[in-house]
């Protein structure tokens, strides 16, 4: 048996502003943007070089309850983990693009890590694994 984690839904306030943030600021690739109805789209983005991995499904909040989850899907914990092959390059990109740094870089047993917030406040780890993995 083979199973994959294919997509993770990220509740967003607006499709276009989320696409803009992920593609222009984080350099993600827009994999798909298909209109399903007047109000619903199927929007998938992938980190650079990650189109064959787990994709982010940008899902616009459709109800009042969903709107309360925008930016806080995990109750304030780090939600997503972006692994990089070059921490300095990607951390500098975060700084250059004015992305909010929540926790400055630190060296941990598993590698180099910093925490940043996306356009809605969801927390992400930027991680370059150390020699022991990550």
């Amino acid at each position: 048996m083979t199973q994959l984690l294919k997509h993770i839904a990220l509740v967003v306030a607006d499709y276009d502003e989320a696409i803009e943030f992920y593609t222009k600021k984080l350099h993600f690739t827009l994999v798909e943007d298909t209109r399903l109805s007047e109000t619903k789209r199927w929007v998938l983005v992938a980190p650079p070089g990650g189109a064959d991995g787990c994709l982010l499904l940008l899902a616009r909040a459709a109800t009042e309850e969903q709107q309360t989850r925008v930016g806080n899907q995990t109750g304030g914990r780090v939600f997503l983990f972006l692994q990089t092959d070059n921490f300095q390059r990607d951390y500098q990109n975060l700084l250059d693009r004015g992305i909010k740094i929540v926790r400055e870089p630190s060296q941990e047993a598993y590698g180099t890590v910093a925490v940043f917030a996306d356009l809605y406040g969801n927390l992400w780890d930027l991680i370059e694994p150390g020699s022991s993995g990550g």
Side-chain angles (χ1 to χ4, degrees), residues 24-36:
K24 303 290 189 226
K25 296 208 175 209
L26 293 183
H27 304 295
F28 281 35
T29 300
L30 178 61
V31 175
E32 184 175 352
D33 184 358
T34 302
R35 183 167 297 285
L36 302 176

Side-chain angles (χ1 to χ4, degrees), residues 7 15 30-37 40-44 57-58:
H7 308 315
Y15 289 117
L30 178 61
V31 175
E32 184 175 352
D33 184 358
T34 302
R35 183 167 297 285
L36 302 176
S37 73
K40 190 173 183 179
R41 289 158 58 182
W42 183 259
V43 178
L44 295 170
L57 171 65
L58 303 179

Side-chain angles (χ1 to χ4, degrees), residues 89-109:
R89 174 198 65 213
D90 294 338
Y91 182 71
Q92 188 61 51
N93 178 67
L94 297 177
L95 296 175
D96 293 346
R97 300 284 185 242
I99 294 172
K100 181 181 178 184
I101 303 301
V102 176
R103 236 174 297 155
E104 296 293 324
S106 63
Q107 194 64 43
E108 305 295 337

